[in-house]
């Protein structure tokens, strides 16, 4: 049982190292395998296999009267299952991509409303939607614009200010 517990603990230590040295085996073996295993020989997958082999064998020895051979078979089966699940979950997480980050130039052509009146020679404030979130920007206009007026963004002047014009209906 000590051997199996040692394997389980070694797998957990290897899993901790995989947080630091992620992609090490893929980098070393990538040229040799040519991407054949597609992450199957990654440190988390190997760590999951070794841990479940050890802990599965130790549980089998402790809970049943089976011998080391049966414990090894059950540990190996649970290790293969853990490795397969780790591999599949890793691939699913790597496929999960986020949308691109919104930029100020995405505001051009969008509509909003004036929060603080915009004087002819100065700045006011407008409320716009950027990436689905309401954001307040400093706004400048060629003509005075009253509070509550619907506006169109003509230009992004900086990361916090825009040039606007009132919507004419």
């Amino acid at each position: 049982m000590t051997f199996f517990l040692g394997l389980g603990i070694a797998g957990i230590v290897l899993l901790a190292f995989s947080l630091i040295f992620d992609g090490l085996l893929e980098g070393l073996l990538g040229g040799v395998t040519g991407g054949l295993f597609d992450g199957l020989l990654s440190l988390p997958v190997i760590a999951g296999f070794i841990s479940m082999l050890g802990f599965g064998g130790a549980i089998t020895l402790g809970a049943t009267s089976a011998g080391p051979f049966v414990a090894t078979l059950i540990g190996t089966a649970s290790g293969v299952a853990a490795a397969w699940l780790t591999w599949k979950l890793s691939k699913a997480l790597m496929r999960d991509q986020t949308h691109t980050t919104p930029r100020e130039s995405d505001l051009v052509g969008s509509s909003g409303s004036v929060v603080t009146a915009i004087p002819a020679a100065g700045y006011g404030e407008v409320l716009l939607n950027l990436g689905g979130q309401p954001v307040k920007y400093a706004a400048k206009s060629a003509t005075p614009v009253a509070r509550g007026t619907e506006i169109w963004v003509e230009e992004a002047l900086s990361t916090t200010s825009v040039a606007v014009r009132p919507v004419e209906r």
Side-chain angles (χ1 to χ4, degrees), residues 4 49 52-53 56-57 60 66-81:
F4 286 117
F49 173 77
M52 285 307 293
L53 168 64
T60 302
F69 180 73
V70 173
T72 303
L73 288 178
I74 291 175
T76 301
S78 61
V80 167

Side-chain angles (χ1 to χ4, degrees), residues 8 32 51 75 81 108 121 140 151 159 165:
V32 176
S51 290
V108 176
K140 179 175 156 177
I151 50 91
T159 58
R165 68 173 172 82

